Structure formats: structure tokens, C-alpha cells
Amino acid sequence: MKNRKERILPCRIFRFYYDGFREMTLGKTLWAILLIKLFVIFVILRLLFFPDALAGKSEEERGEIVRSELIKHR
Amino acid sequence: MVTDLMQSVEWSRAQFALTAIYHWLFVPLTLGLSVLCALMETQYYRTGDRFWKRTAQFWMRLFAVNFAIGVATGLILEFEFGTNWSNYSNFVGDIFGAPLAIEGIMAFFLESTFFAVMFFGWEKVSRGFHLSATWLTAIGANLSALWILVANSWMQYPVGCRFNIATVRNEMTSFWDVLLSPVAINKFSHTVTSSFLLAAIFVMGVSAWYLLRGRHRRMARSSIALASAFGFIFALVAAFSGDRSGAIVARVQPMKLAAMEALYDGREAAPLTLFGILRPEEARTSDDDAFHFKVEIPKMLSLMSFRDADAYVPGINDLVEGNEARGILSTALKMERGRHAIEQLARYHTARETGDTATMQEVERLFDPDTPEGEAFLRDYFAYFGYGYLESPRDVVPNVPLLFYAFRVMVGSGGFLLLLCAVVWWLNRRERLDKQRWLLWVMILSIPLTYLASQAGWIVAEVGRQPWAIQDLLPVHVAGSYIGSTPVAVTFFLFLALFTVLLIAEIGILCRQIKIGPKESNE
């Protein structure tokens, strides 16, 4: 049963990554840095990022806003 | 409010420059080292000599450190487009979005997928499959760079697009014009090949350290042999593409070229300034008073720019004040035309608000390249749209000293590194490199020099584009979002702290791994 399961491609891919990560030495430090960095970028800095003024608006609405901005700067 | 807006734009510029500079500390080594690792593994595949396997594995370890710490630093740049540069982001429309999306979907996933096989698969997949994964990682990394550089090139030379007045977006009309524009092709080849040179110098410098310490001599000498030949070849290609770049800039961004050369008065048979010391800004008005001293090569600038030693090269004063005899429009006239184009945009905006469909259709025809009046309006007025926002004709002049010196740092360092690769390759081949301890130190000290040259190249490209975010169409101060200057300043320092910590972490881990060195042979 186990052998048959291991022949299935997704299981083999999973085992490939699982064993790879488990056997990492230097990689663990790197993954720690990577995860901390992503946490800082996506969680902490995200709180400080300015709102995207055009997010969630239709193309026409974005056009209205940007056009009035471009005219205002004359 | 205007002052706060300007301060906010200036802080946003500083923040973007900071983020880009730090990001570019990680990228070029990834681009070049991935290819060098693939070449080393190819040697292992061809010969079956396990020495090459250990060598490739060692450099892959350093590649992994650089990749892991550098990955995602570019995401912050993409966030900044939406938050700090929202007018710009909308204005560039799908032209910028398409290459970045392709980069994200294709190149990044290709790179990331095979990256795992490259690191986890040594004993789990066949040698051929592993080698393919390593090459695909290198190709993926360099393809990522292609799409980013295509987007950047469009900012320098906007082609293959059409402006939609209703959405205020530039819409792509020809993907191939955007992808294969001369600026894009040249920028890609110059950036990638100079990154290959950077990686070669990195490998040579680290190997030199081993030779100085008398450790891992075979690996060090073999790595130097490969890297110095690789570096020499790609330094030559970078020099060739740099020369092409000068010729393209002369045509599409003449002000950038004039500022790089601090050429104030246009002339035929223009000389190339090898080196010089510029006078302070207020003292510089013409070629007679621009320099304390300079060393020139006669006719070289004309030859390099237009492939004709007697060709006319316009100077800063010609481009600002105009030169009727040479068919160069004055900036004042371009400003007038740009204002007319902005007036049409304002007319359209008012017409939309009041429901005046006749005026809307009239203005839409002006922005339609398929109508005769549209073709003329786009060529004679909209082509200078960005000039309409300038306050003075002198605003089109970028920072001359920064460009002048950065250009010479890039070219001078590039020439030195080319020579270094040639000398090191020759001495290593003759087995005389180990005895030249001073040269081994030069190789180590060339690592920071190559990074400096790489950053100087980007300063030339990006500072030389100022005041434009998109050449001639959108100046930087109009491209920015209106956000308070204080929050941008605060985040500037936060990013500075984050990136500095990452850089210290990278250098620390790299030094530790270099100290540990490659696995000793036990097979």
C-alpha cells in the first residue's frame, strides 16, 4: 500500500520537498530570515503603507481621479 | 499644500531610489552566479569529475544565501508604484502591468520551481535532470530581469502605445514594439552582461581569498579560470552594448547624453571628455566655463553617438534654448505645446462633467491616431504633454555633476575589470597567480568596486531621465500621489533600517559560508 502511494506523483513531489527541507542545514537560517522578512514586509510595513487611492475603483473612476489630478497640476 | 506635495514627492523619490539601490545589491549576483553555477555543473556532467560537483555545490550555497535574502525586496518597489506613484501607475496602464505580470507568472515560477530541484535534488533526480533544473533556474532569473527591464525601457522610450483619454491610460498597441524597442534590447543586454561580470568578479575575489589563505587551492584556481574567462567575455559584450547604448541615448534622450558629457554647447566633431572636474552649478553656463580642467579625445563623442566623427551633437543650451539651424525646438515652445495638450484634457474633463458630448467627441478625435487631426495633434502637441507641467525651461536639465561622475565611475571601473579578468586569466593559466599576492588583494577589493560600478550605471540611467517619470510625457512631480510628506519620510527610514539589517545578515552569512568553504573530498 505504502509503495503504491509513493508511486503517485503528488506524493513523490511532497516527499521530495519534505525530505529536502528536513535535511537543510544552512537553509534553516535562510528560511528564518526569509520568513521574518516577509512578515515585516507584508504584516508590519503593510500597516504603515499609505492607502492606494485608486484601489477598488473602475477604470473610468480611476480615469476621472487621475485626469483631475493631471489638470490640477497645470 | 503645494510645498507639502513637493516634499512628499521628494521623499517618495528618495524612498524609491533607496529601495531600488538595495534591491540591486542582490539582483546582479543572482543573475550572474546562477549561470556560473550552471557552467560548473555542466563541467561535472561532461567529465563526471566529482570535484566539479563539490565546486558547483559550494557556489550554489552562496547563490542561495543571496537569493533568499534578496527575494521579495523588489515587491516593495511594486507596492510603492501603487501607493506613492498612483498617477504614474494609472498613466502607464497595461504597458507596465503586462511585462510585470509576465515576469511574476512565468519567470519567477520557473525560477522558483527549479530552484528546489537544484538544491534538494542532487541525490534524488538524474544528473541530466538536475543540470536542466540548474540551467532553467539561471534562465528563469535572467528572464525575470528581461520583463522588468522592458518596463523600465518603456519609461525611457515610450513606444507601442496609444493614450486613452477616457481612462487616462496608455494602452498597448504593439507588444512587440514594447518588447523589441532598441532601448529595451540594449538595456537588457547591457544590464545582464554587466551582472555576469559582477558575479565573475565576486567568484574571483572569493577564490583569491582562498589562495591568500592557502586553502582549497584547486577549487579556487579552477573557479578563477572559469570566472575570469566568463568575466572577460561578458565585459567585452557589456562594453559593446554600452557603446550601442550611447548611440541610442543620443537619439531618444539627447539631454541625458549632453548632461552625461556636461556638453553645454552643441558642436560638430564633438570630443569625448575622458575626465574632468566640473565648476559649481552657478558658474557653468557654456563649454568655456563648465570645467576647471578636462582631458578630451577629439571627435570621439560624435563618432560614438552618431557613428560619424564630424556629426553634430546637441548640447544642454541647444536643447533648452532651441537651435533653429539644427531643427531643435526650444523647451519654451515644447512647454507651450504641452500646455495646449493639457488644455484639451481639461476641456474633455469639463465636457464629461457637464455632459457636453459634442466637445467630448471633438477632443476624442484629437487623441485618436487614426484620424488626420489626431495624427497631427499627437505628433505636434501630445508628444510634449509633460513639458506643459514645467515651470522653467531649465527644469529639463538633470543633475549634471552626478551624471558626469557616475558615468565615468561606471566606464572606468568596467575598463579596469575587463583588464583585471584578462590579466588574472593569463597569470592563472601560467600558474603564476598564487605568487602575485598584491593582485589577489586587488581581486578581493574589486568586489565592492564592481558593485559601485553597477549602481553607478543605474544612476546614469535613472538620474539621466529626470525630470521625467515617462520621457517627455509625465514629469516626476506630477506622477506622485498626494500623501503627506511626514509618513513618507518615516517609512523611508523604516525601509533603510530593514534593508540595512538584511544587507548585514547577507554579508555575515556569506562570510561565514566562505570561511567554512566547500565540502572536502571524501568520495
Side-chain angles (χ1 to χ4, degrees), chain B residues 40-58:
Chain B
M40 289 171 187
E41 193 180 333
T42 304
Q43 192 72 348
Y44 165 58
Y45 182 81
R46 281 181 54 234
T47 62
D49 183 350
R50 296 184 81 81
F51 158 79
W52 278 110
K53 181 182 174 185
R54 289 193 300 279
T55 303
Q57 280 177 326
F58 168 68

Side-chain angles (χ1 to χ4, degrees), chain B residues 318-341:
Chain B
D318 299 276
L319 295 163
V320 171
E321 289 153 21
N323 184 333
E324 216 179 320
R326 300 284 173 184
I328 300 169
L329 294 184
S330 71
T331 301
L333 182 59
K334 290 178 183 173
M335 285 165 68
E336 224 171 84
R337 292 184 176 194
R339 283 185 191 130
H340 177 68

Side-chain angles (χ1 to χ4, degrees), chain B residues 132-201:
Chain B
S132 309
T134 306
W135 272 110
L136 286 167
T137 302
I139 292 167
N142 285 281
L143 272 182
S144 291
L146 169 70
W147 300 112
I148 303 287
L149 293 169
V150 163
N152 178 274
S153 300
W154 188 83
M155 292 163 68
Q156 320 274 348
Y157 183 49
V159 286
C161 62
R162 164 185 184 151
F163 182 69
N164 182 333
I165 193 170
T167 57
V168 197
R169 283 161 69 88
N170 280 287
E171 292 167 353
M172 199 183 291
T173 51
S174 168
F175 174 73
W176 299 110
D177 282 356
V178 174
L179 178 65
L180 301 176
S181 90
V183 177
I185 291 171
N186 210 69
K187 188 174 273 286
F188 174 68
S189 60
H190 192 60
T191 308
V192 165
T193 52
S194 57
S195 298
F196 289 1
L197 173 63
L198 181 142
I201 297 295

Side-chain angles (χ1 to χ4, degrees), chain B residues 205-447:
Chain B
V206 172
S207 303
W209 184 79
Y210 286 126
L211 290 183
L212 276 172
R213 302 291 296 255
R215 294 172 56 193
H216 310 296
R217 299 176 79 86
R218 185 182 171 202
M219 187 215 72
R221 288 204 52 221
S222 303
S223 298
I224 286 172
L226 177 67
S228 56
F230 182 79
F232 179 75
I233 292 166
F234 285 104
L236 278 179
V237 181
F240 174 75
S241 58
D243 170 64
R244 283 275 309 139
S245 205
I248 293 168
V249 165
R251 283 169 178 78
V252 304
Q253 294 174 302
M255 179 59 85
K256 185 192 273 188
L257 181 77
M260 273 157 64
E261 286 302 314
L263 180 74
Y264 281 81
D265 303 317
R267 64 174 90 164
E268 288 173 350
L272 181 81
T273 304
L274 262 188
F275 188 71
I277 301 288
L278 285 162
R279 287 183 192 278
E281 190 180 350
E282 60 277 11
R284 276 184 272 121
T285 56
S286 71
D287 281 352
D288 298 331
D289 56 17
F291 289 90
H292 287 292
F293 82 93
K294 60 179 170 179
V295 180
E296 295 178 332
I297 306 177
K299 297 190 175 198
M300 188 53 92
L301 184 60
S302 289
L303 185 65
M304 290 174 78
S305 306
F306 296 101
R307 305 306 191 227
D308 173 359
D310 294 317
Y312 179 83
V313 181
I316 292 171
N317 291 337
D318 299 276
L319 295 163
V320 171
E321 289 153 21
N323 184 333
E324 216 179 320
R326 300 284 173 184
I328 300 169
L329 294 184
S330 71
T331 301
L333 182 59
K334 290 178 183 173
M335 285 165 68
E336 224 171 84
R337 292 184 176 194
R339 283 185 191 130
H340 177 68
I342 299 167
E343 282 308 321
Q344 297 307 315
L345 188 75
R347 272 183 74 206
Y348 180 83
H349 192 67
T350 312
R352 269 181 81 103
E353 281 178 346
T354 56
D356 178 357
T357 48
T359 305
M360 279 171 63
Q361 283 169 358
E362 186 193 326
V363 180
E364 275 169 355
R365 275 198 301 277
L366 288 178
F367 283 85
D368 182 353
D370 298 330
T371 64
E373 66 263 48
E375 197 188 342
F377 175 80
L378 293 171
R379 183 191 59 232
D380 297 334
Y381 293 96
F382 185 69
Y384 307 109
F385 186 78
Y387 286 86
Y389 294 104
L390 302 181
E391 286 178 8
S392 147
R394 284 267 150 198
D395 289 351
V396 290
V397 185
N399 186 323
V400 174
L402 185 56
L403 273 173
F404 179 82
Y405 293 119
F407 180 65
R408 273 138 197 91
V409 167
M410 175 186 71
V411 175
S413 308
F416 168 76
L417 297 171
L418 174 78
L419 187 68
L420 181 72
C421 288
V423 170
V424 166
W425 180 82
W426 176 251
L427 289 174
N428 190 48
R429 192 178 161 80
R430 305 289 293 237
E431 302 197 357
R432 282 161 46 193
L433 184 62
D434 304 35
K435 292 173 198 129
Q436 315 292 331
R437 293 183 72 81
W438 65 272
L439 187 57
L440 296 175
W441 277 109
V442 170
M443 287 160 73
I444 295 170
L445 293 173
S446 293
I447 296 177

Side-chain angles (χ1 to χ4, degrees), chain A residues 33-34 36-38 40-42 45 49, chain B residues 15-28 30 65-81 103 108 148 455 495-503 506:
Chain A
I33 290 174
L34 188 65
I36 292 167
K37 180 177 70 180
L38 292 177
V40 170
I41 290 175
F42 288 107
L45 289 183
F49 275 130
Chain B
Q15 192 183 73
F16 199 87
L18 170 93
T19 323
I21 284 172
Y22 268 97
H23 180 55
W24 193 250
L25 287 175
F26 303 110
V27 176
T30 298
V65 173
N66 184 65
F67 184 89
I69 295 181
V71 77
T73 52
L75 282 178
I76 295 183
L77 290 169
E78 294 192 26
F79 291 158
E80 286 171 18
F81 286 135
E103 187 260 340
F108 184 74
I148 303 287
Q455 296 287 352
F495 291 168
L496 178 65
L498 172 70
F499 280 117
T500 306
V501 168
L502 287 175
L503 187 64
E506 159 144 14

